Amino acid sequence: MTHPQLQEENNGNRVPTQSLITSIVIGVILFSILLCAFEGISRTNWFSQIESVRSLGIYHNQFEIKWFKLEDFVEENGGVDVLLVGSSIVNTGIDPDILSAEYEKLTGEHLRIFNFGVEGLTVSPTSVIVRILAHKYHPSTILLVTEMRDYVAINGLAVENQLLSDKWFSFQEGNECTLNGWLRVNSNALKSILLFRNWSRSDFLDTYQTYLTRWKNTSASGYEADHHIGKNINVLPDFSLKEEAQKYAMFHDFSIFPGRLENLKSILHPDESVQMVIVTEIPPYPTYFEYFGGTWVHKAYLEELKTVVEQNDGIFLPPFNWDVIPLENRVDNHHLNEYGATLYSTLLAEQLARNCQGRDICIQSSVTAGAEQ
Amino acid sequence: MTATSLLFFAFSAIIAFIYRRLPEKWRNSWLALASVAFVCTWSWKFVIVLIVFSCANYRFGKKSQTLSTNRRGWVRAGIIFNILFLFFFKYNDFFLQDFSNFLQVAGFLEPGLVLQILLPVGLSFLVVQNISYLLDISNKRIQPEMSFVRFLVYIFYFPKLISGPVERARTFLPRLDHPLSFDRPLAERSAALILTGLLRKLVFANPLFNLIPSAAFTSPQNYAGQYLFFWLLAYAFALYNDFAGYTSIVRGVSLWFGIELSPNFNLPYYSRNFTELWTRWHISLSNWLRDYIFFPLSRSTMKRFPNRNHVLNIILPPMATMLVSGMWHGLSWNMLVWGGLHGLYLVLERIPGLWRPIIPVDEQPRWKQYSGRIVTFAFTALAWVPFRMELPVALAYWKGLLTWAGIDLTEFWYPLNHSNVLFAFSDYNLPSPILLAVLAAAMVYDHFQHRAGKEEFLLGAPRWVQVLLVVILLGAALLAFFSDTTAPFVYQAF
C-alpha cells in the first residue's frame, strides 16, 4: 500500500539539494554580525559626526528630537541647570540661549538652559517626563510653563495614552523590563535603525522628511522657532464654526481637574537634586479666554494655581500682562513666534533676575548648587 | 498567537518535539490537547464553542453512516446545523440588533446595549470541512470516524485551524496514522515553506497593505487614477502574499508533525483564464466548492436539460458556486458582487465553447496565453475592489480608475540632480517609490517560483540568494517588531 502522504512528494515536492537550513543559520549569524558591527560603528565619534539624527521608536517625533538634543546638549555642556518644560507654547515661546545670556548679563550667573517643551503635552505626561529627566540629568531648576488647558481632564488624553503606554517609557520608569525597552534605551545602532521602522507606512516619506526638517530647525538648546505671524488674533472666536465649537465644548465649563492638580504637585517634587520648581504662564491674548468663559475665569485659575504652587514649595512667577507682547509677535492667541520668543525670553530673564536680586530667589547652576550642598 | 510570532514557532516546536517522542497511541490525544491549548490562547470561550461544534458533528457523522435507517435525514440535519452555526456566529449582524431590542423591551438588557457574539477562530473553515465530512459519509466515500479524539484532531489541528487549508477527512485522517518521518529532506522542505511564507507575509504582504493609505478604501474619489491603479495592484499582491504566506508557514510547521497539509496557492496571477485561476487560488476551498456545489449542480441541471449548451447549464453552476463563495467570505452585498463577478467571468469564458471546440489552454498559442494572463489578472484585480470595500465606495473606486491626472515628468531631472530623489517623487503624481519597489520585488519573487515550477524553489537557489533572503527577512522582522503598523492576516477574519 502506498504511503498516504507520499503521492505529493513524488510529484516533485521533495527535492533535497543543498541545505537551506545551513543557509538560514549562516543568514542569522551574518545578520547578527552585521548588527554588532553597526552597533560598534554607531558608538564611534566618527558616526555621531556624520549621523546625528536618531529615533527612540516613539510615535511622538518631537519628544524624540528633544530627548536626543538634550542628550547632546548635556554632553557638550557637561550638564543642564534649567529645564523648561511644558507644551508647544514653551517649545516656540522661549529661546534658552537668549534667556541664559540675558540672565547672565543681569546676575553674572551662567546657566545652561534647555527647552524641553513638547507639542500636545499637558501636565499629566509632563509630570512623568520631568521625573525621568530630573533623575537622569539632575537640573537645579525646573521651569514649568503651564496654561489653563493643562487642567481640563479630557484634554490631551490621546497623546498622553499613546506616549506613556510606549515600552520605552515603561522601561525608563522601571515599571516593565522588556527586551524591546532595553534595546531602545541601550542600543545606539537601533536608535539609527528605528528612524526607518515605519518604512512601510504610506506616509513614511513625508513623516521622515518632516522629522529631518524639525531636527534641523530645533536649536541645540531645544528651541524651535516659529516664523509665522498670526492673523485675526484679536477677533473673537466664532463658535458657529465646527472646530471652534468643539474647543468651546471642551473648555467652556472650566475648572481645575483634581487629577491634573496631582500631576502638578508631582512636578513640584520631581527629584531631590532639583532645588527649585518655578511655575509660570506665557501670557495669551485675551481672545483665548473666550473658550473658557472669559478673563475672570483665567484670573480665578491663576489664583488657585498660585496657591497650589506655593503650598507645595514651588515658586509662582506671575505672568506678564498680555499687552507686553504685541500682536505681530504672536502666531495665534496663545503661541508666540520668533519675535515674541525673543521678547518674552528677555522679559523672563529680567523677571528671574529681579526675583534673585529682590527676593533672593536665585537660580543657580547645578555646579554651584552642588558645591554649596 | 499568530502564525508569524516567535511564540507560535516555539509552541509548535515544543509540541512537535514531544509528539515525536510519544508512543503512537498517545500522539493524537497530544495533538488534540495541544490544539485546544492553542485555541485557549485566543479565548477559552472558543474552546467551549468548538468542542460543542465537534461533538455535534461527530454525532451527526455517526448517525449518517450507511447502516442508519434515516441516513440522508441526518446528513441534511448536520448540514443545516453547520450552516445555522455559521449564521449564528458569523452573520449575526442581521438579527443581533433586533434581538437586542427585544431583550431590552423584555427588560433583560440595559437600554442602548447591543449583544455581541465573537466569531470563533477558523469557524468558516471548519464548517466547510464538516459539511464535506458529512457528505462524504453520505456518499459512502468514507466511514464515519469512530474515535472522537481523531475527529477532534481533524477539527482542531492547530496549524490549519485559523485559516485552513480546508482539509477533507478522507485525506487528512489517514495522514494521522502515518506521519512522515522527520528526516533531513523533510526538515529542508519545511524550512523552505516557512521561509517562503515569512518572506511573503513580512517582506511583501504587510508592507504592501500598509503602503496603501487607508483613505484609498474609504474616499477613492480624492485620488487620481494612477494612484488607484497602483494601489489596486498593491492590494492584489498584498492579499495574495498574505494568504499564500500564511498557508506556506502552516504547511511548513505541519511537516514538523509529519502531516502534509494541502497546498492552497499556485501562482494564481499566472493563470491564463478564470477556470485556471480557481485551480490556483485558495485551492482547497475552490476544490471544495467544485466538488460539493459545482459538480452536483452541474449534474442536476444536466439531468433536467440534457443539452450541455442549454443556457442554464452554462450559467447556473458557475454563477451559483461563485455566489456561495462570496457568501462564505461574508454575507454582504460587496462580497456577493465579488462572487457574482467571478461567476460572470466563468460564464463568459464558457460561451465560446457553444460554437467551437475548446482548446486546452496549454495548447493555445503563446501570445494567447500571455494575453490571457494579463486579462485574467486585470479582471481579478478589478473584482478585488468590492472584496475590499463597501459597494458605493467600490463604484467610486472603479470610476476613479478611469480618471488619470497628468503624470508630471517635467521635474524628472530635478531630483536626480539633488539628494532627495525619494521625497520629490510625489511631484510626478505617482505613488510612493517604496510601494513600487516592494510590488516589483513581489513580482520578481513570483517569477522565480514560476520559473522553478515549485513552491519550495528556494531549496534549489544558490547559497548567496538563500542567505540574502534570510538577512532581508530578519531586517524586515526587526523593523516590523518596532513599527507602529500592523497587518493581521486577512483570512483570519473569515
Side-chain angles (χ1 to χ4, degrees):
Chain A
M1 189 184 134
T2 316
H3 191 288
Q5 303 195 56
L6 284 185
Q7 196 188 340
E8 280 159 51
E9 289 160 25
N10 293 336
N11 289 342
N13 283 340
R14 201 180 173 96
V15 189
T17 49
Q18 67 182 11
S19 173
L20 177 64
I21 294 172
T22 312
S23 299
I24 291 173
V25 173
I26 295 171
V28 171
I29 294 169
L30 181 66
F31 187 73
S32 310
I33 292 170
L34 287 174
L35 274 187
C36 291
F38 188 42
E39 181 66 40
I41 292 168
S42 65
R43 286 177 183 275
T44 59
N45 286 337
W46 168 78
F47 187 81
S48 56
Q49 277 164 7
I50 60 156
E51 183 60 73
S52 60
V53 186
R54 287 152 283 167
S55 170
L56 294 167
I58 291 173
Y59 97 102
H60 202 311
N61 286 348
Q62 203 186 24
F63 175 83
E64 298 190 322
I65 292 172
K66 291 288 171 106
W67 180 266
F68 287 118
K69 290 272 178 181
L70 177 58
E71 235 174 40
D72 295 346
F73 180 88
V74 168
E75 201 177 304
E76 198 172 317
N77 297 286
V80 59
D81 305 314
V82 182
L83 274 178
L84 311 176
V85 295
S87 62
S88 54
I89 291 180
V90 192
N91 176 48
T92 55
I94 306 176
D95 185 340
D97 296 339
I98 295 173
L99 178 62
S100 171
E102 288 295 320
Y103 190 81
E104 188 174 6
K105 204 158 71 183
L106 297 168
T107 63
E109 181 81 26
H110 174 69
L111 298 176
R112 297 162 297 182
I113 306 173
F114 188 87
N115 184 332
F116 208 94
V118 178
E119 282 173 0
L121 298 196
T122 65
V123 284
S124 177
T126 301
S127 65
V128 179
I129 293 167
V130 164
R131 204 160 50 231
I132 293 170
L133 293 177
H135 184 71
K136 188 171 164 78
Y137 295 112
H138 311 294
S140 67
T141 304
I142 301 283
L143 197 155
L144 169 71
V145 177
T146 184
E147 54 140 338
M148 292 173 83
R149 286 183 304 177
D150 280 344
Y151 303 95
V152 175
I154 55 168
N155 183 38
L157 277 184
V159 178
E160 177 183 342
N161 290 339
Q162 229 169 337
L163 189 67
L164 298 187
S165 62
D166 194 282
K167 291 199 183 318
W168 181 89
F169 266 96
S170 308
F171 189 83
Q172 283 285 355
E173 281 265 273
N175 297 335
E176 197 185 350
C177 189
T178 55
L179 179 68
N180 184 326
W182 185 88
L183 283 172
R184 285 201 277 162
V185 169
N186 294 298
S187 166
N188 278 15
L190 197 60
K191 284 171 191 166
S192 295
I193 293 169
L194 284 176
L195 278 170
F196 305 98
R197 72 189 186 283
N198 289 327
W199 69 278
S200 66
R201 249 171 63 160
S202 59
D203 60 352
F204 171 70
L205 291 178
D206 294 329
T207 52
Y208 183 70
Q209 196 176 23
T210 307
Y211 190 80
L212 295 185
T213 308
R214 293 201 83 164
W215 183 282
K216 199 173 130 195
N217 291 346
T218 305
S219 76
S221 56
Y223 167 62
E224 191 183 18
D226 192 327
H227 307 296
H228 298 97
I229 295 173
K231 286 176 187 163
N232 302 326
I233 294 170
N234 52 354
V235 176
L236 290 176
D238 179 1
F239 295 130
S240 63
L241 299 173
K242 193 183 166 192
E243 199 183 327
E244 300 293 338
Q246 278 174 349
K247 283 190 210 166
Y248 181 71
M250 189 185 278
F251 301 125
H252 79 282
D253 240 356
F254 181 81
S255 65
I256 293 182
F257 180 64
R260 294 287 169 95
L261 218 49
E262 291 305 313
N263 297 139
L264 174 65
K265 288 175 188 171
S266 159
I267 295 172
L268 292 165
H269 302 286
D271 186 89
E272 283 171 6
S273 63
V274 178
Q275 295 188 329
M276 199 187 293
V277 179
I278 301 170
V279 180
T280 192
E281 181 187 73
I282 294 179
Y285 196 83
T287 50
Y288 183 59
F289 304 125
E290 290 300 311
Y291 298 103
F292 301 87
T295 46
W296 70 271
V297 181
H298 178 240
K299 274 184 187 154
Y301 150 78
L302 282 182
E303 282 304 314
E304 195 175 345
L305 185 69
K306 181 174 186 278
T307 311
V308 174
V309 171
E310 290 178 349
Q311 277 173 355
N312 287 276
D313 311 320
I315 294 161
F316 181 75
L317 216 55
F320 301 111
N321 205 16
W322 59 270
D323 55 4
V324 300
I325 299 172
L327 274 176
E328 62 274 17
N329 286 9
R330 296 175 181 273
V331 176
D332 52 35
N333 55 20
H334 51 298
H335 288 95
L336 305 183
N337 60 23
E338 56 185 320
Y339 309 110
T342 306
L343 175 63
Y344 182 75
S345 304
T346 312
L347 291 172
L348 182 64
E350 288 167 3
Q351 191 180 23
L352 291 169
R354 274 199 304 277
N355 258 10
C356 179
Q357 286 148 2
R359 290 168 63 192
D360 205 22
I361 303 168
C362 298
I363 302 175
Q364 292 178 323
S365 72
S366 303
V367 183
T368 317
E372 280 182 11
Q373 274 181 348
Chain B
M1 203 193 292
T2 60
T4 48
S5 67
L6 275 178
L7 194 61
F8 175 74
F9 289 109
F11 173 83
S12 306
I14 293 166
I15 300 298
F17 181 80
I18 298 170
Y19 174 82
R20 292 282 179 184
R21 270 144 193 82
L22 282 175
E24 226 167 79
K25 61 176 179 174
W26 292 109
R27 284 183 169 184
N28 288 336
S29 306
W30 174 243
L31 269 189
L33 197 69
S35 300
V36 167
F38 176 77
V39 179
C40 267
T41 64
W42 292 79
S43 166
W44 60 268
K45 292 170 192 161
F46 291 169
V47 175
I48 295 171
V49 173
L50 292 182
I51 284 181
V52 170
F53 179 70
S54 308
C55 288
N57 276 296
Y58 177 69
R59 292 296 301 165
F60 280 121
K62 283 179 97 171
K63 291 281 185 188
S64 309
Q65 65 183 306
T66 328
L67 299 174
S68 172
T69 47
N70 194 9
R71 187 163 58 91
R72 293 218 173 262
W74 280 110
V75 171
R76 280 197 198 107
I79 292 170
I80 290 167
F81 167 79
N82 276 286
I83 292 170
L84 286 178
F85 209 82
L86 191 63
F87 262 85
F88 182 76
F89 283 99
K90 186 170 177 178
Y91 306 132
N92 50 46
D93 289 351
F94 283 91
F95 65 85
L96 218 54
Q97 182 68 52
D98 291 336
F99 187 57
S100 301
N101 292 344
F102 167 75
L103 289 179
Q104 283 171 20
V105 173
F108 291 113
L109 194 68
E110 277 183 44
L113 292 180
V114 179
L115 286 179
Q116 282 189 321
I117 299 174
L118 286 177
L119 174 67
V121 284
L123 190 67
S124 311
F125 293 87
L126 300 183
V127 163
V128 289
Q129 282 183 170
N130 275 307
I131 290 174
S132 73
Y133 171 70
L134 294 173
L135 286 171
D136 283 356
I137 293 171
S138 165
N139 295 332
K140 300 176 191 172
R141 288 197 188 109
I142 52 168
Q143 288 294 310
E145 178 54 54
M146 289 299 151
S147 157
F148 182 64
V149 171
R150 272 167 58 87
F151 186 75
L152 213 56
V153 176
Y154 171 56
I155 300 286
F156 268 75
Y157 182 54
F158 75 91
K160 71 167 180 64
L161 179 76
I162 308 294
S163 310
V166 176
E167 293 291 347
R168 312 281 175 87
R170 65 172 185 265
T171 51
F172 183 82
L173 288 171
R175 290 172 180 176
L176 291 179
D177 302 327
H178 308 281
L180 298 167
S181 59
F182 195 69
D183 49 13
R184 192 183 142 253
L186 194 73
E188 293 285 344
R189 257 194 76 209
S190 162
L193 283 169
I194 291 171
L195 185 60
T196 299
L198 288 173
L199 279 166
R200 284 197 181 281
K201 174 66 179 160
L202 295 178
V203 181
F204 303 137
N206 285 4
L208 284 175
F209 276 132
N210 291 322
L211 281 162
I212 307 168
S214 52
F217 301 130
T218 51
S219 8
Q221 67 277 8
N222 296 341
Y223 298 99
Q226 62 265 36
Y227 287 99
L228 300 180
F229 172 80
F230 282 108
W231 290 336
L232 184 56
L233 274 186
Y235 181 73
F237 274 88
L239 188 67
Y240 156 55
N241 280 289
D242 184 79
F243 198 13
Y246 164 84
T247 310
S248 294
I249 293 169
V250 297
R251 288 184 70 217
V253 166
S254 185
L255 289 180
W256 296 354
F257 301 90
I259 297 168
E260 181 90 46
L261 292 179
S262 311
N264 243 353
F265 290 89
N266 180 19
L267 298 170
Y269 295 148
Y270 277 80
S271 307
R272 292 156 292 184
N273 58 40
F274 288 96
T275 309
E276 190 183 9
L277 176 78
W278 291 105
T279 62
R280 287 168 171 264
W281 178 278
H282 203 172
I283 299 165
S284 62
L285 180 70
S286 304
N287 287 349
W288 187 95
L289 290 165
R290 181 197 63 198
D291 294 349
Y292 298 102
I293 309 276
F294 183 84
F295 283 162
L297 210 56
S298 296
R299 279 195 293 270
S300 160
T301 51
M302 281 289 277
K303 261 185 206 165
R304 282 179 180 225
F305 313 101
N307 175 9
R308 64 181 294 274
N309 287 346
H310 190 279
V311 68
L312 278 182
N313 286 331
I314 300 285
I315 294 175
L316 194 62
M319 192 51 95
T321 306
M322 294 321 296
L323 285 174
V324 169
S325 176
M327 283 165 69
W328 178 86
H329 284 84
L331 205 56
S332 57
W333 286 113
N334 53 315
M335 284 302 181
L336 281 176
V337 169
W338 172 76
L341 274 175
H342 274 288
L344 181 69
Y345 297 160
L346 289 169
V347 170
L348 292 174
E349 209 164 78
R350 298 174 117 208
I351 288 175
L354 292 176
W355 62 80
R356 59 175 164 80
I358 295 169
I359 305 164
V361 72
D362 287 327
E363 292 167 20
Q364 288 175 0
R366 272 286 165 95
W367 69 267
K368 232 175 176 179
Q369 293 189 32
Y370 284 123
S371 59
R373 204 169 270 164
I374 294 167
V375 170
T376 307
F377 174 74
F379 281 92
T380 305
L382 286 174
W384 287 132
V385 175
F387 186 88
R388 175 61 182 81
M389 57 200 95
E390 298 294 320
L391 221 42
V393 187
L395 287 171
Y397 200 103
W398 279 326
K399 205 174 146 193
L401 280 168
L402 301 172
T403 48
W404 285 44
I407 298 172
D408 186 6
L409 294 177
T410 52
E411 296 281 321
F412 184 71
W413 294 110
Y414 174 79
L416 290 184
N417 296 330
H418 295 74
S419 57
N420 57 349
V421 178
L422 290 180
F423 304 123
F425 209 81
S426 56
D427 292 346
Y428 311 143
N429 241 343
L430 283 171
S432 158
I434 303 175
L435 179 136
L436 298 177
V438 178
L439 194 56
M443 288 176 179
V444 168
Y445 193 83
D446 276 359
H447 170 72
F448 281 112
Q449 183 176 329
H450 177 65
R451 228 170 57 169
K454 56 178 183 285
E455 191 178 4
E456 302 93 330
F457 75 102
L458 284 180
L459 285 175
R463 171 86 72 206
W464 70 269
V465 173
Q466 294 175 340
V467 171
L468 180 69
L469 288 176
V470 172
V471 171
I472 290 172
L473 175 65
L474 290 172
L478 179 77
L479 290 173
F481 180 68
F482 291 102
S483 169
D484 301 338
T485 58
T486 54
F489 287 107
V490 173
Y491 268 73
Q492 203 167 285
F494 297 130

